[in-house]
């Protein structure tokens, strides 16, 4: 593992108190700390989604869906709890209603036959903007995916 180049994401699972999990993404390494804590490691450029939920005596106290791209060394990124060094934000949704809407978009992308971590980052930004505005995002289709793949090939 080349820790200086990778993005590390801590995940905690304390049932009914703190529950964090990956919704999608392909970590190349995983470090198990104990039964309730682990760290997953992503290569630069990898896209992943983390769901965070915190509960208290009277139910949910906080929830979030974060779709991030792991930055390359020197790229700008934001800091988030448990994400080192940080990530490029593609989708950041808070509140359980927003999280549910975001998860529904991920489900629709998978139902259309696409791996969510292979979707164009521009589409995720579109999803963020539409959901925050209270609108439905446009569906992701083969035409958009092909254009993204061609752009990626030309720019590399």
């Amino acid at each position: 593992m080349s820790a200086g180049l990778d993005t590390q994401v801590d995940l905690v699972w304390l049932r009914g108190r703190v529950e964090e999990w990956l919704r999608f993404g392909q970590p190349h390494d995983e470090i198990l700390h104990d039964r309730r804590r682990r760290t997953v490691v992503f290569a630069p450029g990898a896209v992943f989604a983390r769901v965070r939920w915190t509960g208290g005596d009277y139910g949910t106290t906080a929830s979030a869906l974060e779709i991030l791209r792991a930055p390359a060394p020197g790229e700008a990124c934001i800091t988030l709890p448990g994400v080192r060094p940080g990530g490029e934000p593609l989708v950041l949704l808070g509140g359980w209603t927003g999280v549910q809407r975001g998860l529904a978009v991920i489900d629709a992308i998978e139902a259309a036959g696409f791996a969510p971590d292979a979707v164009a980052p521009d589409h995720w930004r579109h999803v963020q903007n539409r959901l925050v505005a209270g609108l439905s995002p446009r569906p992701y289709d083969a035409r958009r995916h092909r254009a993204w793949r061609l752009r990626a090939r030309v720019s590399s």
Side-chain angles (χ1 to χ4, degrees):
M1 174 174 90
S2 52
L5 303 176
D6 295 330
T7 297
Q8 298 181 7
V9 180
D10 297 329
L11 301 171
V12 176
W13 189 271
L14 302 169
R15 183 171 288 288
R17 290 187 21 222
V18 177
E19 298 177 7
E20 301 173 336
W21 67 94
L22 287 181
R23 174 56 183 84
F24 66 80
Q26 301 296 319
H28 70 77
D29 199 7
E30 180 177 27
I31 303 159
L32 296 174
H33 302 290
D34 57 41
R35 287 184 27 217
R36 294 182 173 98
R37 296 178 311 120
R38 65 187 173 124
T39 300
V40 290
V41 184
F42 293 94
V47 175
F48 60 92
R50 177 176 71 163
V51 179
R52 296 188 299 144
W53 178 89
T54 306
D57 291 338
Y58 302 103
T60 300
T61 58
S63 55
L65 170 64
E66 304 153 347
I67 300 178
L68 305 168
R69 190 183 72 77
E75 283 186 338
C77 62
I78 65 167
T79 57
L80 292 163
V83 181
R84 294 175 307 281
E88 176 189 345
L90 302 176
V91 176
L92 298 175
L93 300 170
W96 191 242
T97 301
V99 170
Q100 286 178 312
R101 291 185 72 206
L103 292 173
V105 171
I106 295 168
D107 291 343
I109 286 172
E110 289 175 332
F114 300 101
D117 57 336
V119 166
D122 290 344
H123 183 72
W124 287 122
R125 290 182 195 98
H126 160 77
V127 167
Q128 165 73 25
N129 293 334
R130 297 287 288 199
L131 290 179
V132 168
L135 303 170
S136 296
R138 290 187 299 271
Y140 193 73
D141 57 22
R143 185 179 56 82
R144 289 176 198 265
H145 192 67
R146 184 174 187 281
W148 154 241
R149 287 293 171 213
L150 289 172
R151 268 193 337 263
R153 190 178 331 150
V154 168
S155 66
S156 57

